[in-house]
Amino acid sequence: MDLETLLSFEWGIMMPEFIILGVATVMTLLDLFMPKGLKRKILGWIGFAGILAAIVSLIGLLDYPVTTILFDTFRLDSFAKAFKLILLVGAALVMLLAISYEPKEGLTEYRSEFFYLFLTALLGAMIVTSSGDLITLYVGLELLSLSSYILAGLRKENRRSNEAAMKYVVNGSISTAITLFGVSYVYGLTGTTNIAAMREILLALNDSQSVYLLVISFLMIFVGLSFKIAAAPFHMWAPDVYEGAPTPVTAFLSVVSKIAGFVLLVRVMLSIFANAVTDGPNSTSILLTMEDTIAFIAGVTMVVGNVVALQQKNMKRLFAYSSIAHAGYILVAIASLSLFMFDSLWFYLIAYLFMNLGAFAIIQTLTEKSDSEDSSHFSGLYTRAPILAVAMAVMILSLAGIPGTAGFIGKLNIITGALVREQANYVLVSVMIATTVISYVFYFGIMVQMFFRKAKVKDPIKIPVGTGIVIGVCAVATVLLGIFPNIAFDFLQAQFYEFGDFLR
């Protein structure tokens, strides 16, 4: 590739990625040359400023038309812009949590790594959202995964953290291998890794042998990515990793990493398998043929997540299973394959981002100086810190899907999307409603601890500035989106006018 070709690319569409990459590089160099006695929290604030700059640059690209560079391996379309915005907002809030994080054993020696590994993981997630080629997708996925593995085990003196990192590496490697195995079939049939080129070739492949291989490919890719989003029965790593990882990392994995997993799943499934058709007189797309498989996994995920959560006393394990259950809810939106799928998916991920990060911010505040994250830490919270208890109540009500919160609107959109189809999926909607009712038991159990149990300790609760900002933003956003959901939907329609543009 000559210099003239390189200069001809519209590099401006990669400005958010360049900002994150540049800030991560600068932070690495600063850490190298900063005196050892100087506190590394300043690097966290630099990283936070970098994420804000990336958000501003992305907002400047919202009106940009669909653009591809590097031979269609990197795309800027409505899909990429919409989900990249969620990733950046979530990462900014997680960075504030990381700045405020002061565990019992401390993180003095590797506090700096704690910050710039966040940025490299974020960069990987952003690359995934804009990938137009399977190789680029894989590079972004691995950058996200490898950074996450290290972050999960960053508390080197903590045995649970070491165990979390080991389990995450093993399960992550297995899921990546399965995904690549499935991708290899598609590559073998099409002879290209470019997603746009694959679509054109797959339209002409409708013989029985090709369809058979594509079905195997679909199952392999779906299973591999189900590990990434912690969908049952491929969720076994999540509770241990969530419990052992530092709390900001747990928040990152439960929100930002999970969003990236769903983005990858939707982009691959709709870009490739929506165009691949079965053979015979009643030919239909492979994606529609495998709809029942997605629905089955969604149902199992909702049941496992909510039922097993009933037995949990550790707050991070409880929220791990809660996260698994919410993955099931989101899979219902994907399984419905309705006209409202993108709108439902986008809104629910925004709602999930705020209500989950807000909950983790409060969990971090109450448990970071303790050796456990037992639910007893929430006993009598209303008498110790009324504002904190009310904020946690808002997050829990939203997670439970109570009217007046963003979580309720998100679930309502998903249920509506599943029912307005030509063939309404009543069974899946029934499972979703039933498991949501089951979730009230453990969610409201936390409320009972906060408002109706006596406090075991009377110590005042100090809320760091960063954590306080996260709690405030999440609580306000959760209520605001629950009462005025059109704020999000109007913005969605005004800025991201056509999600289907990534299929062109």
Side-chain angles (χ1 to χ4, degrees), residues 465-486:
V465 176
T467 306
I469 293 172
V470 174
I471 294 170
V473 169
C474 291
V476 170
T478 299
V479 174
L480 200 62
L481 291 175
I483 300 173
F484 305 107
N486 283 340

Side-chain angles (χ1 to χ4, degrees), residues 63-140:
D63 294 328
Y64 224 73
V66 178
T67 308
T68 65
I69 61 172
L70 299 172
F71 306 105
D72 206 22
T73 59
F74 188 92
R75 297 176 60 87
L76 184 72
D77 49 32
S78 294
F79 184 87
K81 288 182 283 190
F83 289 97
K84 210 176 287 186
L85 186 61
I86 302 178
L87 289 172
L88 285 168
V89 171
L93 295 174
V94 170
M95 184 62 82
L96 287 175
L97 285 184
I99 292 169
S100 304
Y101 185 57
E102 293 290 349
K104 186 177 180 181
E105 69 269 25
L107 282 170
T108 308
E109 294 180 21
Y110 24 88
R111 166 75 71 177
S112 47
E113 288 95 327
F114 200 64
F115 295 129
Y116 49 73
L117 281 170
F118 266 125
L119 293 189
T120 55
L122 172 62
L123 179 62
M126 293 171 69
I127 290 172
V128 165
T129 63
S130 286
S131 294
D133 191 279
L134 291 178
I135 293 176
T136 320
L137 272 173
Y138 177 72
V139 170

Side-chain angles (χ1 to χ4, degrees), residues 73 215 333 447:
T73 59
V215 169
M447 300 270 281

